[in-house]
Amino acid sequence: VLPFGHIIQNLPRSFWSNIFSVVLQSSNSLKASYEDWLLTYGLSISPFHMRWQTALFNRQFYNWGRWKPRFLYLWFSIGMVFGIVAMFGSVILLGKTLMQTLTQMLTEAPKAQNDRMLQVVVSVLPSGLYLQVVPGVNLPVSQLTYFFAAILISGVIHEIGHGVAAIREQVRFNGFGIFIFIVYPGAFVDLFTTHLQLISPVQQLRIFCAGVWHNFVLGVVSFMGLFLLPAILFPFYSTGVGALVTEVAEDSPANGPRGLFVGDLVTNLQDCPVYSVEDWNSCLGDISEKSQVGYCLSAATLQQLSFPARVYRRLDGTVECCSNNSLTDICFSYSNNLDNQLYACLPARKVIEASKVCRTNMDCQKDFVPSFCVTPSLENQTRLIRVKHPPHIDMLYVGHPMHLQYTVSLSSFVPRQNFLSIDLPVVIETFCKYLISLSGALAVINAVPCFALDGQWILNSFLEATLSSLIVEKQNRELLGFLILLAGSALLAANVALGLWMVTAR
């Protein structure tokens, strides 16, 4: 089962392979030999679709399916219960998401979306279910490898569940395969249909629910791995000492001789301590939401550092009092004892490095020395942020806090030895997050009672197992199942369509 909403901007390599295949099949002289070659290697190629099937893994599947029969019976019985609950839960979740999306469309105007924002396809989040992914818009191109690898692994684990459950229920297993649809990888198992139709509805449910059950288990295992990662990597990496810079984008405001460099350890943002990446994001969020902090400066120092400057208002109503060409001076505002608002152009680093933060003049009164709380007079949403990354000189950042967040990559894991890679924990952490998101999401989506998804077969078997005594006519049960599938398909299609619209409109 493939994720939805991917917008293709370039023709993938598999597309040209399919075109080449069509050309060969249209040739009278090459068609027969080409089809024999495909059959020999278990290949099947059609427009936008390639697949490979093999019996090489049949022995391994049969070994798994015959291992500890009682345990497997219990395992897949739990999976059957989970699959049924997931089928009903997925409908509720999709319905809730559809209502949230409609409400958002009616109440909010489309907003610009930063190209580094990530909404993984079909990610189940507290705020709803997202069914869209557009590389370069909400999926960074640099993370496509994680994305496709997680899809493939989730698909393989899903199909292993179906295959092992089928062998456990005495259904003949013909083979296992991998396919590529456009650019999406996936997996499948080939089961003997006649055997599948002869077993009881409850046995069918164990087989049909095994895929979503295995996806759920994979998501749980990935979550546990992510949660226990600090303990697993403890002998090699320390945590809780700061946020380690792993990458600074070329266009980042933090890039420069007095900016941040790969390997720097950030310990503070303003007066907010940073012990991990979560602290970094939290501090930036607080700085963005709250008003700009000021800095205590004595009256004598203020008089010594300030110099006459022309004061004028910007278009957004804020005040500027420094030359636009200055790279070191910033306009500061302060109030005197008469509560008059005054402005002074001051060298930012000299003001900040020898001062403590403040909100009002009262925060600066000490030892009867006249002092003022001087606050940077910046454009709306712009902040002056002091970033501490010892032993280097503090970085002074002027701009929107979110720009700093999107253009600087960090890790909570600090290598204990210099030869250890700073990227390894990030790779493991990111991949676990993709597995949690995609495997869990595929479990939910596959359980939807919709045509061509596992939910279709789960629903049919569930109706046969529960309603055969209430609705005696099989034709009536099939009609009921068809109507439910029609409603489920419409619900899923509506979520996909609106999800795509929300991404493209923003």
Side-chain angles (χ1 to χ4, degrees):
V1 178
L2 302 176
F4 304 92
H6 185 81
I7 295 179
I8 305 301
Q9 298 176 350
N10 299 304
L11 291 177
R13 188 175 301 175
S14 61
F15 173 81
W16 299 112
S17 301
N18 289 319
I19 293 296
F20 180 69
S21 175
V22 171
V23 172
L24 288 177
Q25 288 179 329
S26 63
S27 172
N28 294 329
S29 58
L30 300 175
K31 180 179 180 180
S33 58
Y34 176 67
E35 290 181 347
D36 289 342
W37 180 81
L38 291 177
L39 185 63
T40 301
Y41 290 96
L43 292 170
S44 175
I45 301 177
S46 58
F48 306 106
H49 185 271
M50 295 176 62
R51 112 175 158 165
W52 170 70
Q53 181 175 339
T54 181
L56 291 173
F57 306 106
N58 285 20
R59 181 183 296 274
Q60 184 61 56
F61 270 90
Y62 274 101
N63 289 338
W64 287 337
R66 292 165 180 166
W67 177 77
K68 295 187 180 299
R70 290 186 179 180
F71 170 79
L72 290 181
Y73 172 80
L74 179 62
W75 176 259
F76 289 116
S77 294
I78 296 173
M80 176 183 67
V81 175
F82 172 81
I84 295 171
V85 172
M87 180 178 64
F88 290 105
S90 64
V91 173
I92 296 172
L93 184 57
L94 282 176
K96 180 181 177 181
T97 303
L98 183 61
M99 295 304 297
Q100 288 179 342
T101 306
L102 288 173
T103 303
Q104 192 174 2
M105 288 173 60
L106 295 174
T107 58
E108 294 183 7
K111 301 176 182 177
Q113 198 171 30
N114 191 284
D115 63 355
R116 290 184 65 87
M117 289 295 288
L118 172 65
Q119 290 176 325
V120 177
V121 61
V122 211
S123 289
V124 184
L125 301 175
S127 58
L129 188 70
Y130 291 85
L131 299 166
Q132 63 273 357
V133 55
V134 183
V137 176
N138 57 3
L139 178 65
V141 176
S142 61
Q143 296 192 4
L144 286 178
T145 302
Y146 297 110
F147 177 72
F148 288 121
I151 288 180
L152 181 59
I153 292 176
S154 298
V156 169
I157 296 299
H158 179 101
E159 297 304 325
I160 287 176
H162 287 311
V164 174
I167 293 171
R168 168 65 183 77
E169 301 300 336
Q170 305 300 315
V171 175
R172 194 173 80 189
F173 182 86
N174 295 327
F176 169 82
I178 294 175
F179 66 84
I180 297 178
F181 178 73
I182 306 179
V183 293
Y184 287 108
F188 64 92
V189 290
D190 182 11
L191 305 178
F192 191 51
T193 307
T194 303
H195 284 181
L196 197 58
Q197 293 172 342
L198 291 175
I199 60 178
S200 69
V202 174
Q203 289 177 297
Q204 291 176 358
L205 276 173
R206 292 195 193 100
I207 297 173
F208 295 142
C209 294
V212 298
W213 169 237
H214 273 213
N215 276 140
F216 172 75
V217 171
L218 176 61
V220 171
V221 171
S222 301
F223 178 80
M224 291 176 61
L226 183 64
F227 180 76
L228 297 174
L229 192 59
I232 296 172
L233 297 180
F234 179 78
F236 310 102
Y237 296 87
S238 59
T239 56
V241 294
L244 185 69
V245 178
T246 59
E247 182 184 0
V248 181
E250 291 184 5
D251 59 344
S252 173
N255 195 2
R258 289 198 173 182
L260 296 175
F261 296 91
V262 173
D264 286 355
L265 189 65
V266 178
T267 58
N268 283 83
L269 291 173
Q270 300 287 54
D271 56 342
C272 182
V274 175
Y275 301 108
S276 65
V277 176
E278 289 73 20
D279 292 336
W280 162 275
N281 294 329
S282 177
C283 290
L284 285 176
D286 290 341
I287 291 171
S288 179
E289 293 174 3
K290 296 178 181 178
S291 59
Q292 173 70 57
V293 297
Y295 302 90
C296 292
L297 201 64
S298 66
T301 305
L302 176 60
Q303 185 176 7
Q304 179 185 359
L305 294 178
S306 63
F307 52 88
R310 185 172 64 91
V311 177
Y312 61 92
R313 290 192 177 274
R314 303 185 185 97
L315 294 177
D316 61 356
T318 58
V319 174
E320 177 62 83
C321 62
C322 289
S323 170
N324 290 333
N325 298 325
S326 176
L327 298 177
T328 58
D329 301 332
I330 290 179
C331 183
F332 287 84
S333 66
Y334 64 98
S335 59
N336 58 15
N337 296 330
L338 301 176
D339 288 335
N340 294 325
Q341 196 70 21
L342 303 175
Y343 298 90
C345 185
L346 304 170
R349 189 168 295 276
K350 289 184 178 180
V351 171
I352 293 174
E353 288 186 344
S355 308
K356 70 173 185 177
V357 297
C358 58
R359 293 288 178 181
T360 65
N361 288 342
M362 295 298 296
D363 299 332
C364 302
Q365 302 307 317
K366 184 179 180 182
D367 298 331
F368 304 102
V369 177
S371 299
F372 300 100
C373 183
V374 296
T375 304
S377 178
L378 303 171
E379 295 176 294
N380 291 334
Q381 306 302 320
T382 301
R383 298 289 185 271
L384 171 60
I385 305 174
R386 181 183 184 181
V387 182
K388 292 186 178 181
H389 54 126
H392 305 289
I393 188 172
D394 296 349
M395 181 187 79
L396 302 184
Y397 168 83
V398 178
H400 196 290
M402 293 301 103
H403 293 167
L404 188 61
Q405 184 176 9
Y406 295 147
T407 59
V408 178
S409 300
L410 303 105
S411 171
S412 300
F413 296 86
V414 180
R416 296 184 183 274
Q417 301 295 334
N418 292 332
F419 65 86
L420 293 172
S421 170
I422 64 174
D423 295 322
L424 179 60
V426 178
V427 171
I428 299 174
E429 195 174 25
T430 304
F431 189 61
C432 284
K433 289 179 181 178
Y434 270 90
L435 277 179
I436 294 168
S437 183
L438 286 170
S439 188
L442 288 177
V444 174
I445 295 302
N446 264 302
V448 177
C450 171
F451 293 109
L453 298 181
D454 285 352
Q456 175 182 358
W457 314 112
I458 295 174
L459 175 68
N460 291 338
S461 299
F462 178 74
L463 294 179
E464 288 296 319
T466 56
L467 297 182
S468 57
S469 59
L470 296 176
I471 304 177
V472 180
E473 294 291 333
K474 183 177 178 63
Q475 199 171 15
N476 293 336
R477 295 196 299 271
E478 290 177 347
L479 177 60
L480 175 62
F482 175 80
L483 293 176
I484 296 174
L485 289 174
L486 198 61
S489 301
L491 181 61
L492 182 59
N495 274 273
V496 172
L498 291 180
L500 281 172
W501 184 88
M502 291 293 286
V503 168
T504 54
R506 292 182 175 212

